[in-house]
């Protein structure tokens, strides 16, 4: 790993956020250290871990830049802190529960050189239990505010390089210029959908995103913040409301608003019965109850737009039939359960 020598600016900076994730870092950091073909620095932002993370990194990887926070600031804010420490013009985010191939970072950096007009780059994330099954090939969102990982639970080979709506922050590369212009992730999100929100704001500023299938990481899906846990369900529900309120154009809200509400109201009781808790409802209510500040941010997003809705619309999916949404979510639940990942707290 590149030493922090102020006279030697790296090609890329890699930011890893962790919270009591030493068991994951023991796989992640050795794989990152084996990256070839690119000079980079590694920045670990520790959200107040108590599992020995700080001591292990200091001993095993003394060249790693470790920023220790006294408490859990969440995935979004901790990444922003890491972005502030990054010296390179290209900044990668990597989940602590992701294990990159040796040419992962090189592939992303090469794509950035080949596509200078593109602001972010998505990796091919595959499931830990089966490296032939895709976990994420970028993020997708539709006009109803439903967001998901592109090609999730589909076989490798169904994904091709090309433009996508945005990158999954579990393994992505961003231009520092994009992060500076957008302000990075919205710290208020804490965790989940922060990458979708960033993709929206970057799109409105004219930045595009690209999927790089050569950049592969193996991912233990939701190994930190368990799939369908009340914690994750709450933040997904709240942050969905905020993402729609901040970013969706007025025309889309007027056209699809009634359908958006109908889908959400229909899904709530199903989710609450299946999970046997009220986390989904609490998340929606928390989002609606804090719309004041979000709507003020909406005005800022709208005032800074450089492109029209017609330019973004081709990358935003049309509504799916309810049973298609259900099937997609069922595939995710089945893939995660089969992956063997603990159904307990991943900062995606």
């Amino acid at each position: 790993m590149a030493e922090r020598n102020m006279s030697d600016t790296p090609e890329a900076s890699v930011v890893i956020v962790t919270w009591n994730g030493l068991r994951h870092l023991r796989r992640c950091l050795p794989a990152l250290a084996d990256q070839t073909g690119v000079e980079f620095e590694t920045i670990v932002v520790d959200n107040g871990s108590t599992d020995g993370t700080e001591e292990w990194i200091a001993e095993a990887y003394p060249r790693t830049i470790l920023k220790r926070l006294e408490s859990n600031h969440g995935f979004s804010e901790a990444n922003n802190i890491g972005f502030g420490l990054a010296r390179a013009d290209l900044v990668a985010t990597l989940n602590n529960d992701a294990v990159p191939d040796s040419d992962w970072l090189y592939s992303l950096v090469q794509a950035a050189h080949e596509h200078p007009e593109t602001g972010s780059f998505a990796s091919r994330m595959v499931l830990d239990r089966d490296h032939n099954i895709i976990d994420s090939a970028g993020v997708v969102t539709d006009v109803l505010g439903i967001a998901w990982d592109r090609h999730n639970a589909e076989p490798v080979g169904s994904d091709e390089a090309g433009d996508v709506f945005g990158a999954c922050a579990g393994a992505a590369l961003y231009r520092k210029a994009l992060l500076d212009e957008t302000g990075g992730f919205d710290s208020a999100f804490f965790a989940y959908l922060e990458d979708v929100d960033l993709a929206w704001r970057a799109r409105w500023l004219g930045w595009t995103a690209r999927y790089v299938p050569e950049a592969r990481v193996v991912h233990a899906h939701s190994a930190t913040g368990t799939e369908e846990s009340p914690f994750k369900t709450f933040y997904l529900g709240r942050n969905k409301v905020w993402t729609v309120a901040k970013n969706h154009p007025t025309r889309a809200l007027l056209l699809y608003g009634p359908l958006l509400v109908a889908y959400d109201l229909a899904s709530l009781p199903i989710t609450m019965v299946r999970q046997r808790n009220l986390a989904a409802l609490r998340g929606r209510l928390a989002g609606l109850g804090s719309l004041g500040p979000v709507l003020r941010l909406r005005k800022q997003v709208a005032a800074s737009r450089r492109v029209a809705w017609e330019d973004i619309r081709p990358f935003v999916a049309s509504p799916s039939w309810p049973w298609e949404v259900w099937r997609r979510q069922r595939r995710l639940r089945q893939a995660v359960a089969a992956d063997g990942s603990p159904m307990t707290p991943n900062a995606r």
Side-chain angles (χ1 to χ4, degrees):
M1 294 182 185
E3 203 159 21
R4 196 169 181 82
N5 184 333
M6 297 308 292
S7 63
D8 180 23
T9 303
E11 288 184 82
S13 302
V14 181
V15 177
I16 300 173
V17 170
T18 191
W19 175 67
N20 289 327
L22 178 57
R23 66 193 186 282
H24 303 307
L25 291 174
R26 290 185 186 277
R27 295 179 65 199
C28 177
L29 286 185
L32 189 58
D34 286 340
Q35 296 297 298
T36 60
V38 57
E39 292 294 323
F40 66 100
E41 63 181 358
T42 302
I43 302 167
V44 175
V45 183
D46 180 23
N47 267 323
S49 295
T50 57
D51 63 351
T53 290
E54 181 180 13
E55 295 78 9
W56 179 76
I57 290 177
E59 179 179 350
Y61 296 97
R63 294 182 179 179
T64 293
I65 301 147
L66 177 63
K67 176 65 176 178
R68 176 170 171 77
L69 307 177
E70 294 304 316
S71 60
N72 190 349
H73 289 232
F75 184 80
S76 304
E77 184 175 348
N79 264 300
N80 287 344
I81 292 170
F83 299 158
L85 297 173
R87 292 182 292 139
D89 292 332
L90 298 172
V91 182
T93 54
L94 183 66
N95 272 12
N96 63 2
D97 55 13
V99 180
D101 283 2
S102 60
D103 60 352
W104 165 71
L105 188 57
Y106 173 79
S107 298
L108 291 175
V109 169
Q110 283 300 108
H113 292 329
E114 293 169 5
H115 301 276
E117 76 289 349
T118 301
S120 59
F121 300 85
S123 303
R124 171 186 277 171
M125 304 178 72
V126 299
L127 289 177
D128 198 10
R129 59 120 179 152
D130 188 341
H131 299 179
N132 293 311
I133 301 296
I134 297 169
D135 186 36
S136 178
V139 294
V140 185
T141 190
D142 66 14
V143 291
L144 304 183
I146 301 172
W148 64 95
D149 285 299
R150 181 171 167 265
H151 289 303
N152 176 262
E154 296 179 13
V156 168
S158 58
D159 54 326
E160 296 181 355
D163 290 342
V164 294
F165 179 75
C168 171
L173 185 74
Y174 299 96
R175 294 194 187 276
K176 189 72 177 297
L178 180 153
L179 297 173
D180 290 342
E181 190 171 17
T182 58
F185 298 131
D186 187 334
S187 295
F189 274 52
F190 193 81
Y192 306 112
L193 297 183
E194 70 291 313
D195 45 10
V196 178
D197 170 66
L198 176 60
W200 266 111
R201 292 184 284 116
R203 281 277 174 186
W204 282 122
L205 291 171
W207 291 102
T208 58
R210 185 172 182 82
Y211 173 56
V212 185
E214 298 82 10
R216 195 190 80 148
V217 302
V218 174
H219 184 222
H221 187 101
S222 281
T224 304
T226 312
E227 190 68 27
E228 295 215 302
S229 66
F231 170 85
K232 184 171 184 177
T233 299
F234 170 85
Y235 281 107
L236 283 173
R238 188 197 66 174
N239 294 350
K240 176 186 176 181
V241 174
W242 286 358
T243 301
V244 171
K246 277 177 64 178
N247 301 293
H248 283 227
T250 302
R251 274 184 293 168
L253 289 175
L254 291 175
L255 181 61
Y256 296 105
L259 191 57
L260 186 161
V261 173
Y263 267 56
D264 221 44
L265 289 177
S267 70
L268 270 176
I270 298 173
T271 301
M272 289 187 292
V273 169
R274 188 180 68 249
Q275 297 186 5
R276 300 180 182 179
N277 61 60
L278 301 178
L281 177 61
R282 291 191 299 105
R284 299 308 195 285
L285 293 177
L288 293 171
S290 53
L291 276 182
V294 176
L295 292 177
R296 287 193 289 273
L297 289 174
R298 177 182 177 83
K299 291 182 180 179
Q300 295 177 18
V301 172
S304 64
R305 291 176 186 172
R306 293 190 190 134
V307 299
W309 169 231
E310 288 75 16
D311 298 312
I312 299 178
R313 181 64 182 88
F315 300 97
V316 179
S318 296
S320 301
W321 292 106
W323 53 85
E324 292 175 345
V325 177
W326 180 79
R327 286 173 184 164
R328 189 168 61 232
Q329 294 174 343
R330 184 181 65 174
R331 283 200 308 269
L332 170 61
R333 291 193 298 271
Q334 291 174 340
V336 171
D339 198 27
S341 303
M343 300 295 276
T344 60
N346 166 51
R348 177 186 160 204

